[in-house]
Amino acid sequence: MTLSFSTFYNLPSSEARYELALNLIYDKFQPAHCLIGKFIDSDTRVKTVAYSVNGEKSNYIIYDLEGTPCKDAKDSQSVCSISCNLQQMYAEDEILKIFDIDGYLGVTLRALNHKPIGIMVCLFDEKIEITSDDKHWFRELSLLVGAELNHNLELASQEILVKQLAKGERIARLSSWSWNISRNIHNFSQEMQTLINAPDQDVDFEIFCESLKSKDQKALRVLMQKLRNGQINHIDINVSHRERSQFKGLFRVIGHIERSDEQEDERIFCASVQDISYIYALNKQLELTNVVFEHATEAIMITDHKNNIVMVNRAFERLTGYSDTELLGRNPSVLSSGKHGAEFYKRMWAELSKEGTWKGEIYNRRKNGQIFPEELTLNIVRDEDDEIVNYVAIFRDITDWKRNEAQLTFYANHEPLTALINRRCFMDILESRISENRSTLQPCSLLFIGLDHFKEVNDIYGPEIGDKVLISVSRRLKNGLRRADTIARYGGDEFAILLDATNQQSAYDIASKLCEKLKQPYVFNELAIELTASIGVAQLDYRKRITAAKFIRNAAHALESAKKTNRGNIALHNQDIQNAYLNKIALRDKLRNAVKHELLDVYYQPIVDQSTGKIVKFEALVRWFDDEQGMISPGSFIPIAEEFGLIQQIGHFVLKKACQDLNRIHSLGFSDVSISVNRSVNEFKVSNNQFDLISEAIEHANIPFKSLTVEVTESMATNHYTWKLLAELRAKGVKIALDDFCTGYSSLSHLIENQVDYLKIDKSFVDSLLQDKSKQIMISCLIEMAKQLGIKVIAEGVESNAQLDVLNELGCDHIQGYYYSPARPIGACIHLLEEFNGEGSIGFDLLNFTSNRV
């Protein structure tokens, strides 16, 4: 194509660019009709932004996609070309008949994230022959047109956002204010004109200041001078307008000093000016009438300086069963449950006396004798002479929260759909049983069961039926086993069963019986589904030392062998399966060589703050591109690295590379961006000295400790050394993230005792979020709990707008997943930062950007 990027965008308007594109198409193909359209109404219709008939500009049109060749073109990733017989192929498309169209050429226009946003179409009234070169030309032109359309759509979205922000300021009666101290330039948003009643003036600082009462002018000018001199960095002051009334003219000014994004040596004062007259008047009224106290939903108790009850509110009466007359003058110990000893109350009073406040959980007793948990906040009220006047206790019943905590604890050890124990719990049991059987010389067997073609059940009948099948499978398995046997849903459509005191032949017989049970049709109303299962059997040889991981791996290898030979079979772990393991060893050696010669690479996946829409973090992910095998999935080589002791070297390589790349990101002005690195439990051994390794990597890269987050999995919850080390890192500023939360050992007590900064919701929860209501409930509880603990929540694996909407509604802080971007090389990540966090539009080649997606 002879048209260059610069030529296209040097045209004065989008309309001119679209018209040029249609003219180029007409010159090349001479179509009867040619259009460029955008998708509207949830991508069910097309509205043209440019349309020509026989090369002449025509009026805009709107048409439905369904039943048209454009529908197929929209679903295609390439150029769609139909040489003739178009009316016969799309008999329902009346437009083709009206225009007597015989041939078609179309291509979908896509946004930078590959989402379809429009279409470019040629309609021919005679048979056409389109060559591969023609398609390539058409495709290249569509990239320019698509970029223009995407730009226009984004501009329209930004205009809507600006209007919404202005509307929000108007509703809140708030104006934003920025002051470049070095240049002494003040900027107020338009709402300031309304606040100070100066509709026809461009408000500057002097105009704003002169609108205030004289004493407030002086106070504000003094604070501004202190800000200029660097004596203070924050102000919070109430000032009054000269014409202040009861409900207008009292302003609260809150602001702080920030560094300029363009020049670090420049200081910017950012503030908000809000008319709080109504709020102030309302608070005064509430103080006088005691409305807040009486109608508060939380229970409130006030005692005098001797700790005798002087006032309680209605919520307190409802919660405890006591009336105010029954409690006035009495000591709050009347509510004591007896569950807390004298030492507990001694510590509570000591902290209250020292800090002036105390917050925690406590058990109290209702009038009827029922003991209940409550979240209690105690505060001391002092007079002008700093003498204690009152104690104020505010509390709420957290019985439901405790019940939710119990549910979370259950789900930490059980799989929610089938109520079977989950993988983590099963592995703990298996490890313990191996030790017992080795000491008692008792045999045991392990069955690893995989449902055959289960994905087809989900695809054909939907996930609801798929869930019902899994529940039925779990019931049949439980009914076919002894009480001493242990069954778990290992993941997806896989189940693991530990058969106690069973030799290999008995295990094979049980497996055969279970196969027959699982073959029976699964009937739901009038629907009957037939399904088979393959089973791998591994026998514990108590004469050899074996771990739970290796034991289940042997059974998994046997299952894999059974599936390869003939689905529905049973396979015993043997030498042939062992040979498959040797192939894994070969991959291990290749990986060792790649690690030694630094042939690995690090990609980064962005994590977006939902409150700002900006990228705040990147997760560092290792990638391996082998000369012979091409890209090797981390799912293939990371388990090998874990198993054969290479994970520490890989982890240290990723750590150093991530720190260096973060330094590069910070040098470009994105100093608020941080990077997460994953750490395996195998890396946190005493001999590895992770504290020094991580500290040295951070210091060598010259980045702040707070800009690095260490991600660990729940499996570390029982590793006290690891938590001790993480606490030491956290004391230096390093952030801690708990990954794959709720998929394994989710200990809430450990979560509270060992502070973390982030919780990551596992992709498996996000995947079923829309279909599984229990997952939404669980995630909602998790987010609420995290907020109470001051922990940010990151949802990973978000791929759709529907998932994003639900997570936003539940209050999730950060989003990670393909919805925003897959993992990318550092160069592409910098472009992403310019797109998400930059002030201007990104200036990079669309073709180069899209080709970097992996």
Side-chain angles (χ1 to χ4, degrees), residues 421-432:
I421 62 174
N422 60 24
R423 180 190 304 185
R424 175 61 190 170
C425 185
F426 182 78
M427 294 297 285
D428 290 342
I429 294 172
L430 186 58
E431 196 75 63
S432 175

Side-chain angles (χ1 to χ4, degrees), residues 207-225:
I207 293 176
F208 168 62
C209 199
E210 289 172 5
S211 72
L212 306 177
K213 292 183 178 180
S214 57
K215 67 180 182 65
D216 291 335
Q217 286 188 38
K218 294 177 182 178
L220 184 59
R221 291 184 188 275
V222 168
L223 290 177
M224 298 300 284
Q225 187 61 41

Side-chain angles (χ1 to χ4, degrees), residues 179-185 262-263 266-267:
W179 173 33
N180 187 313
I181 298 176
S182 303
R183 304 176 187 175
N184 196 28
I185 298 175
E262 291 78 18
Q263 298 185 17
E266 283 193 347
R267 295 187 304 144

Side-chain angles (χ1 to χ4, degrees), residues 60-156:
Y60 299 137
I61 62 171
I62 298 176
Y63 64 92
D64 294 328
L65 270 174
E66 192 62 37
T68 70
C70 292
K71 177 65 167 60
D72 293 337
K74 174 181 178 292
D75 297 334
S76 174
Q77 296 293 326
S78 59
V79 174
C80 181
S81 174
I82 302 173
S83 61
C84 60
N85 298 324
L86 193 64
Q87 295 183 37
Q88 290 78 4
M89 295 173 64
Y90 296 91
E92 296 178 1
D93 191 348
E94 294 296 330
I95 293 179
L96 301 180
K97 298 177 182 178
I98 294 171
F99 292 153
D100 193 22
I101 301 302
D102 195 36
Y104 178 89
L105 180 65
V107 64
T108 302
L109 305 178
R110 298 181 181 275
L112 297 181
N113 61 0
H114 293 287
K115 176 185 177 182
I117 57 173
I119 195 164
M120 189 166 73
V121 176
C122 295
L123 301 176
F124 301 88
D125 54 8
E126 58 185 8
K127 181 178 179 181
I128 59 165
E129 293 295 333
I130 302 297
T131 66
S132 59
D133 289 341
D134 292 336
K135 290 182 179 180
H136 180 72
W137 182 93
F138 197 62
R139 176 66 176 177
E140 281 192 324
L141 181 60
S142 74
L143 294 177
L144 292 178
V145 174
E148 180 67 13
L149 180 60
N150 181 61
H151 175 69
N152 290 334
L153 294 176
E154 288 183 349
L155 285 179

